Amino acid sequence: MSWLLFDADDTLWDNNVFFEIAIDAFFEFLGVPEGNLESARRHLDEIEMRNIEKHGYGTANFGLNLIECFEAAKGRPATAEERLRIERLVDAVREHRIEPYPQVPETLDELGRRSRLALVTKGDATEQRAKIERSGLAGHFEHIEYLPEKDAARYLRLVADLNASPETTWMIGNSPKSDVNPALAAGLGAVLIPNKNTWTLEVQDIPQDHPRFRMVRRFSDLTAIF
């Protein structure tokens, strides 16, 4: 029986959109003129990209990146009051409601009759575990894996831990960088479910002509493949 590995954030429910709302509010608090928003966002992206290896993912690390961006823009340390304002923006991201996308529970039910399902998410394990619990979807998965990063080596280790084989395992998600390209590099199949709110740092070119790559428009379309 095949294993289907599912990403969580922005595949099963909204996630990055709440970060984007916080970033917009942060730039307003920072006083960035509208004409400078694009360059300000590039600067924040550079900070986040540089700090991923040091801080990892998740809202706590997002807050550290915002403070670094704030202090670089102001040329001075943030005051206690300014840090509190930034922390409140981060809290709103951390505490947002988790609501599965349409047809996700029903589709997982149907797929689970024919395949073995696992959830594979990256980031802070405590934070991701809390989101999965709030989603009400944990019971659909035989295995849940929390990874600090998604790359080919970790996919291969996970497949081995599941006593599966790459040839009968598929990774499904919205991120070319984390869900598609490393899975294909590890010999797995990969299905992309595009999401207009995918984080810019997760966007990469995808090998459209790869024999084990598929793309669907909606989550429910997976039942036509599996």
Side-chain angles (χ1 to χ4, degrees):
M1 186 178 287
S2 297
W3 274 95
L4 304 182
L5 315 180
F6 291 88
D7 173 53
D9 294 331
D10 295 314
T11 296
L12 303 181
W13 55 71
D14 274 326
N15 181 67
N16 190 58
V17 66
F18 299 103
F19 285 87
E20 296 296 334
I21 292 170
I23 289 170
D24 288 345
F26 169 73
F27 286 151
E28 182 177 354
F29 171 55
L30 188 56
V32 179
E34 186 173 349
N36 294 345
L37 285 173
E38 187 174 341
S39 61
R41 182 55 189 265
R42 283 198 302 270
H43 182 221
L44 178 58
D45 285 347
E46 290 168 1
I47 290 172
E48 295 202 287
M49 188 178 301
R50 183 175 67 247
N51 286 340
I52 283 173
E53 288 190 14
K54 180 167 59 175
H55 299 320
Y57 300 92
T59 53
N61 303 317
F62 175 61
L64 293 175
N65 293 331
L66 291 184
I67 289 173
E68 180 178 337
C69 183
F70 181 93
E71 294 182 338
K74 295 293 188 181
R76 59 168 175 80
T79 67
E81 182 179 352
E82 289 165 341
R83 283 177 172 266
L84 182 59
R85 286 282 298 274
I86 293 172
E87 288 170 8
R88 286 173 179 165
L89 295 177
V90 175
D91 286 342
V93 178
R94 184 183 294 113
E95 297 165 4
H96 72 80
R97 181 180 179 185
I98 303 294
E99 184 173 349
Y101 290 136
Q103 297 301 306
V104 164
E106 297 88 344
T107 302
L108 291 174
D109 274 339
E110 183 172 345
L111 294 173
R113 299 186 192 108
R114 300 188 290 269
S115 303
R116 304 178 74 177
L117 310 185
L119 186 59
V120 183
T121 182
K122 72 177 183 181
D124 180 81
T126 300
E127 188 169 357
Q128 293 302 101
R129 187 177 293 110
K131 285 194 280 186
I132 293 166
E133 291 175 357
R134 299 204 306 275
S135 76
L137 296 176
H140 291 277
F141 301 101
E142 186 174 339
H143 179 83
I144 298 177
E145 188 79 13
Y146 305 94
L147 298 175
E149 186 60 271
K150 290 177 176 176
D151 54 32
R154 288 185 174 92
Y155 278 123
L156 285 173
R157 284 199 294 271
L158 174 58
V159 168
D161 290 343
L162 295 174
N163 292 317
S165 66
E167 293 78 12
T168 58
T169 304
W170 291 76
M171 181 65 203
I172 300 160
N174 69 292
S175 169
K177 177 180 180 291
S178 295
D179 303 321
V180 173
N181 291 332
L184 293 175
L188 283 65
V191 181
L192 178 68
I193 308 177
N195 187 323
K196 65 180 181 180
N197 293 316
T198 295
W199 189 21
T200 55
L201 298 188
E202 291 291 324
V203 176
Q204 288 182 345
D205 291 335
I206 50 177
Q208 298 272 6
D209 58 349
H210 193 287
R212 296 202 65 201
F213 172 72
R214 305 286 187 275
M215 183 163 59
V216 298
R217 292 177 58 194
R218 297 177 299 270
F219 195 87
S220 59
D221 293 339
L222 293 169
T223 59
I225 301 176
F226 305 110

